[in-house]
Amino acid sequence: MFEQEVIAKLDELVGANRGDKEYQELFFNVIKEKCEQHKTMRDMGLKFVDTIKQLMQLLLEYRGVIKEDNLDNKMSCTVSLLNFYHEINRRELYLQYLHKLCQLHLEAENYTEAAFTLMIYAKHLQWSNNTILPYLMSSKYPEETLHRNLKERIYYDIVSYFDQGKMWEKGIEVCKELAIQYETQIFDYLQLSQILRKQAELYDSIMTKVRPEPEYFRVGYYGTGFPSFLQNRAYIYRGKEYERLSDFTARLQNQFPNAQLLKTLNQPTDDIKQQPNQYLQINKVSPMLELKNHLIGKQLNDQILKFYKVNDVQKFTYSRKKDESTTDAASMWLERTNLVTSFPFPGILRWFPVTSTHTFSVSPLELAIEVIDETNDKIRSLIDQHLADPNLRADPLGMVLHGVVDAAVNGGIANYKVFYSDEYLKSRDNEAERDQIARLQQGTKHQLLLLKKALDIHRERAPESLQPFQAHLELRYCQMKNVLETEYGIKVTDEDYLSYGPDLIPQNSVKRVHSMPATCHVQSNSRNVIGASTPNIAGAPATPSVLPSVAEAKSIMRALSSFSLSNDNVSARSSPQRKSSSSQRDSVISGNSTSSLVKADTKDGSVIELSQELTPMRPLRPDSDTKGRPGGQVRPMRTVTMTPCASPLESPSRDAMKNSSVTRSFEEPPPLPEKSSQADYANLATVDESPSLPVGSCFVREGTHKDRPHIPEPTLAQQQTASKKASLNNEATLATPLVCEDEVNLF
């Protein structure tokens, strides 16, 4: 009881910025001295003192790091405290820092790690209706007081985080556990249907969505300049999406700007480890695939297998040349190092310490077998993808085949020619090396079988524009086959092809056959096939709508440019052929969205059919308006009826225009009125006589001359003054209307 109370108070006080290194040493010395002098409590007391010293050191480190902006260091210190409280069985403090770690992951958008952190918290809850103890309460859901309700809420958060982190396989496991509770424990079928729909979405995401594969890196922290939890230790880091070695190195150097980067992978000396400086050693490592027991021996889709290549992994490896000056592949020895971490990836952190290291040598013969096997696995994977999805493009397969049968850069199998000779086989006395030579020859033979099957698939799937490339691949394959038979002793017979099934799988193996509807969404290794199938035109099979490649588009354009209309067909408007094409065009545009079929004859006599959905962008014209097109009858001129208006300011109504008997050609403009030297206002109608404008007319009548202000009559004095002025002006001036200043002011 005393120990628990001291630990709780120390955590509270140090977190409140109390205590420092000097207080830690003073507290340790005082308590240690008292315990050593006590006969009964000596052993337990000294053990307690060591625990308190370790705790205070971790708390002080956590307090110093928590004020920085480095989230990685904050997480590392938090996990150190987690492990400490877990070892001394302080569950309330353990869960307290577990929630802090989850919040740090959410700040860094590490949704997968946040989900794994919450999973640890959820394991402390039960599927029961018991009341939650105070230390198990959640600050996010304080209203939940029962184990079942809180665990259900936490599980939904975990599924959401796994979905955001693209860890759909782990989210499915949580959905299955929820489904069991809904189906067999509380019988909530509405919630069961919802969680099953969410589970189906996660399965669909595995097969249809793009998920980048993370890379892994080894980081060695050497020197006493690093924090104590990093000093002279090696870690494996899980990189972020699309993060490569250069990006990861730059990110780590930003966290430790004073650190020096070691240029070699040699083990640092003790002098470097004891220096008060910071040294970083960074290199890329490859995860080692370890399939679960229920997956071993099964035919897995590449989308499923890719997940296990970089997830649920705990072992890693990297290699380097023993002699950097060696360039000959047949004499190149490698030094390979296998690493094991404390926990598998992914987990509650994006890095875990290396717990064991094993270094050994790889001979040139073993390296040759690995290269052949890796190439065979790549070709086999592409074959399986094309057999499962007939709509895959042939471009990735063609590039891989070209790199194998025409390896002009790396040399291919020619790098290891010495291992196929009889002289090399006779010189090997070791039985293990003889078995390795047999494996190399068998792998090479198997590669020829795979190449033959892949070339057959490429011939079927490649468009017409890639057939010359296909002929080149087949020529290089024949040359490669002949060279392997004459110079390497590798011969493939027809019986070898027949011994493997149509999918190059042994006959006693079972392969999953996919039967998907044409409207489902499928994504394969390198691209997405989006959308439903196009209409079946001219008996063509329904295939997903995929944009043609550049080569296919050029091939279609060449086919379209190979045919043209003759001058006779263009000039003969009334020929049967012209009428037929016109009728086809009218039938095509008669609906809102119909199919148009175009046939083009190429130079070699083959026929290319082009289909396209035609959708008019404006309302269709009536049949009477389309008869005047070239090749048909002349369209009659439209006529517009007009009626004389009572006044030039009036606009004729629509009814008057319809009922009028006066017609005028639509193409001819109406005649302009004759010009005159003076305006004629004699035909202006009075207000009572003028008909009203139609409703909605764009003309607005301001009013007639009766609505205007009345001008007063001039007085007698004004008339006399005006007559005097008029006598002084010429006759032209006399024609000017009489206006006085008062009248101007009135306006």
Side-chain angles (χ1 to χ4, degrees):
M1 189 66 182
F2 172 76
E3 180 182 355
Q4 294 180 0
E5 189 67 23
V6 170
I7 291 175
K9 287 298 181 181
L10 281 177
D11 185 273
E12 179 181 353
L13 293 174
V14 175
N17 205 20
R18 303 288 182 87
D20 52 13
K21 286 287 185 180
E22 295 180 358
Y23 178 80
Q24 175 189 356
E25 295 295 334
L26 178 62
F27 184 84
F28 173 75
N29 294 330
V30 171
I31 300 298
K32 182 180 179 181
E33 181 181 356
K34 297 295 183 181
C35 291
E36 288 178 344
Q37 297 175 358
H38 201 283
K39 297 181 180 180
T40 307
M41 297 179 55
R42 186 176 187 280
D43 295 336
M44 296 180 59
L46 293 178
K47 183 179 179 181
F48 167 72
V49 169
D50 292 337
T51 301
I52 295 300
K53 182 179 180 181
Q54 183 181 0
L55 173 61
M56 291 190 67
Q57 181 179 355
L58 293 175
L59 289 174
L60 291 174
E61 289 179 354
Y62 176 79
R63 190 180 69 182
V65 170
I66 205 67
K67 300 177 183 179
E68 302 176 359
D69 296 332
N70 193 330
L71 289 178
D72 291 349
N73 288 344
K74 293 180 182 179
M75 295 177 190
S76 297
C77 288
T78 304
V79 172
S80 298
L81 283 171
L82 279 177
N83 296 333
F84 176 81
Y85 287 131
H86 178 71
E87 291 175 358
I88 64 176
N89 197 22
R90 293 302 305 269
R91 298 178 62 182
E92 68 281 2
L93 295 175
Y94 175 81
L95 294 177
Q96 176 184 341
Y97 283 93
L98 197 68
H99 289 295
K100 293 181 179 180
L101 178 62
C102 182
Q103 291 299 321
L104 290 175
H105 282 308
L106 293 178
E107 291 179 14
E109 297 183 354
N110 299 335
Y111 297 108
T112 298
E113 287 72 22
F116 278 108
T117 305
L118 276 185
M119 281 293 295
I120 299 177
Y121 171 57
K123 289 180 180 179
H124 289 78
L125 303 173
Q126 305 171 1
W127 290 115
S128 66
N129 294 325
N130 297 333
T131 304
I132 301 175
L133 296 177
Y135 74 90
L136 288 176
M137 294 289 292
S138 172
S139 59
K140 185 178 181 181
Y141 304 110
E143 69 278 4
E144 302 295 348
T145 58
L146 301 180
H147 274 263
R148 182 182 298 276
N149 296 342
L150 179 58
K151 190 166 186 175
E152 182 181 358
R153 300 286 292 272
I154 297 299
Y155 265 37
Y156 274 99
D157 288 344
I158 293 172
V159 172
S160 176
Y161 294 153
F162 275 137
D163 190 9
Q164 295 181 72
K166 299 180 180 180
M167 198 63 53
W168 302 303
E169 288 80 358
K170 298 300 180 180
I172 290 172
E173 296 177 5
V174 181
C175 289
K176 288 181 178 179
E177 188 173 350
L178 284 171
I180 292 175
Q181 294 296 319
Y182 293 143
E183 184 178 8
T184 63
Q185 298 298 322
I186 61 177
F187 301 97
D188 191 342
Y189 287 172
L190 290 179
Q191 291 292 334
L192 176 62
S193 64
Q194 293 181 7
I195 200 63
L196 289 179
R197 280 194 291 268
K198 181 61 179 180
Q199 182 177 336
E201 292 178 3
L202 298 178
Y203 275 117
D204 186 68
S205 298
I206 293 175
M207 303 303 297
T208 61
K209 292 185 178 179
V210 177
R211 176 164 49 183
E213 297 182 359
E215 293 188 355
Y216 290 89
F217 311 98
R218 172 189 169 273
V219 180
Y221 298 93
Y222 300 106
T224 59
F226 290 107
S228 60
F229 56 86
L230 295 177
Q231 291 178 9
N232 299 321
R233 302 185 67 182
Y235 289 81
I236 298 296
Y237 278 73
R238 178 183 172 95
K240 298 181 178 180
E241 288 188 358
Y242 304 106
E243 188 176 37
R244 299 299 177 255
L245 179 60
S246 58
D247 304 325
F248 176 78
T249 303
R251 178 162 66 91
L252 214 59
Q253 285 182 316
N254 289 334
Q255 295 179 10
F256 303 99
N258 298 326
Q260 302 180 26
L261 191 63
L262 299 178
K263 301 301 182 181
T264 65
L265 294 179
N266 297 328
Q267 183 66 22
T269 61
D270 293 337
D271 294 338
I272 294 180
K273 293 180 180 180
Q274 299 302 324
Q275 289 184 9
N277 298 324
Q278 296 178 350
Y279 298 95
L280 288 175
Q281 190 179 61
I282 305 174
N283 64 289
K284 180 183 175 181
V285 295
S286 301
M288 301 175 65
L289 174 63
E290 290 184 343
L291 286 177
K292 305 296 183 181
N293 293 331
H294 68 283
L295 299 176
I296 297 176
K298 303 297 191 302
Q299 292 294 327
L300 302 179
N301 186 283
D302 191 62
Q303 289 290 106
I304 302 174
L305 186 60
K306 285 168 60 178
F307 169 80
Y308 294 100
K309 289 181 178 179
V310 293
N311 296 286
D312 286 343
V313 291
Q314 195 173 357
K315 297 180 180 179
F316 303 86
T317 182
Y318 69 92
S319 304
R320 62 168 183 161
K321 295 181 182 181
K322 276 193 170 183
D323 187 1
E324 296 293 338
S325 61
T326 303
T327 58
D328 185 11
S331 58
M332 183 184 300
W333 283 78
L334 298 181
E335 181 185 87
R336 180 161 298 169
T337 303
N338 291 344
L339 311 170
V340 180
T341 57
S342 58
F343 297 97
F345 287 92
I348 63 173
L349 286 175
R350 297 191 70 92
W351 59 91
F352 289 118
V354 176
T355 57
S356 65
T357 303
H358 175 56
T359 303
F360 57 95
S361 300
V362 178
S363 67
L365 180 57
E366 293 173 337
L367 180 60
I369 296 174
E370 292 180 0
V371 173
I372 295 295
D373 290 343
E374 289 177 1
T375 305
N376 292 350
D377 292 341
K378 185 184 299 184
I379 300 174
R380 187 186 297 107
S381 175
L382 290 173
I383 291 175
D384 292 340
Q385 293 174 33
H386 281 273
L387 292 177
D389 185 2
N391 302 311
L392 276 181
R393 298 182 63 87
D395 304 47
L397 178 60
M399 294 299 101
V400 173
L401 292 176
H402 184 263
V404 177
V405 301
D406 193 8
V409 178
N410 295 327
I413 299 178
N415 291 329
Y416 313 106
K417 183 178 179 180
V418 65
F419 301 133
Y420 296 87
S421 63
D422 295 336
E423 292 78 7
Y424 185 83
L425 180 61
K426 294 177 182 179
S427 62
R428 302 294 101 179
D429 298 332
N430 191 350
E431 188 66 24
E433 292 188 5
R434 290 179 176 271
D435 294 340
Q436 292 175 353
I437 295 174
R439 285 182 54 193
L440 178 63
Q441 294 175 349
Q442 185 63 26
T444 307
K445 185 176 181 179
H446 193 196
Q447 187 172 113
L448 289 175
L449 297 172
L450 291 170
L451 289 173
K452 179 63 170 59
K453 181 62 178 179
L455 285 171
D456 293 340
I457 294 176
H458 189 268
R459 184 189 308 107
E460 297 173 359
R461 309 289 173 84
E464 189 66 26
S465 59
L466 292 180
Q467 291 306 316
F469 179 61
Q470 170 69 22
H472 172 72
L473 293 179
E474 293 180 353
L475 175 62
R476 297 297 298 173
Y477 172 76
C478 293
Q479 295 175 355
M480 174 183 176
K481 182 180 177 182
N482 294 333
V483 171
L484 288 177
E485 182 176 353
T486 57
E487 300 182 12
Y488 293 74
I490 306 298
K491 185 177 181 180
V492 179
T493 61
D494 296 337
E495 289 76 10
D496 295 326
Y497 292 108
L498 296 177
S499 63
Y500 288 80
D503 302 339
L504 284 181
I505 298 174
Q507 297 296 335
N508 57 358
S509 177
V510 179
K511 180 174 175 61
R512 167 69 174 159
V513 179
H514 297 273
S515 57
M516 295 183 178
T519 57
C520 72
H521 302 263
V522 180
Q523 177 191 345
S524 292
N525 185 24
S526 58
R527 65 184 185 90
N528 294 331
V529 180
I530 304 173
S533 59
T534 56
N536 195 351
I537 300 174
T543 56
S545 174
V546 182
L547 292 176
S549 63
V550 177
E552 292 174 349
K554 292 181 179 179
S555 177
I556 294 173
M557 294 304 296
R558 287 195 298 268
L560 290 176
S561 62
S562 63
F563 66 93
S564 60
L565 298 175
S566 62
N567 295 331
D568 297 337
N569 293 335
V570 174
S571 60
R573 296 183 178 180
S574 61
S575 62
Q577 181 181 2
R578 192 66 176 177
K579 291 180 180 179
S580 175
S581 62
S582 177
S583 63
Q584 288 181 358
R585 183 197 67 246
D586 295 338
S587 66
V588 166
I589 65 174
S590 61
N592 291 335
S593 178
T594 57
S595 298
S596 173
L597 187 61
V598 181
K599 295 184 177 182
D601 295 332
T602 58
K603 295 181 180 181
D604 56 358
S606 60
V607 178
I608 297 178
E609 295 183 359
L610 307 179
S611 60
Q612 183 181 3
E613 291 292 327
L614 301 180
T615 303
M617 300 300 294
R618 61 180 180 180
L620 299 178
R621 296 181 179 178
D623 295 338
S624 59
D625 292 350
T626 61
K627 294 181 180 180
R629 301 299 180 96
Q633 298 178 359
V634 180
R635 183 176 62 184
M637 292 201 176
R638 296 178 58 189
T639 59
V640 179
T641 59
M642 301 183 67
T643 181
C645 301
S647 170
L649 299 179
E650 296 177 18
S651 173
S653 64
R654 296 180 180 179
D655 296 336
M657 294 175 63
K658 293 181 179 179
N659 300 329
S660 176
S661 59
V662 180
T663 63
R664 210 177 284 276
S665 174
F666 182 77
E667 283 77 5
E668 297 179 2
L672 298 175
E674 297 181 0
K675 295 182 179 181
S676 59
S677 59
Q678 296 182 356
D680 184 11
Y681 300 100
N683 59 351
L684 287 176
T686 61
V687 177
D688 297 335
E689 297 175 352
S690 87
S692 61
L693 291 174
V695 179
S697 174
C698 61
F699 294 99
V700 179
R701 188 167 53 194
E702 299 294 342
T704 60
H705 61 284
K706 290 188 177 182
D707 299 328
R708 296 178 181 178
H710 179 69
I711 302 177
E713 295 291 336
T715 60
L716 180 61
Q718 290 175 347
Q719 292 179 0
Q720 293 177 355
T721 304
S723 61
K724 291 180 181 180
K725 291 181 179 180
S727 62
L728 299 177
N729 297 331
N730 51 24
E731 295 181 357
T733 306
L734 294 175
T736 305
L738 179 63
V739 179
C740 64
E741 295 180 359
D742 295 338
E743 292 176 345
V744 174
N745 293 334
L746 289 175
F747 286 96

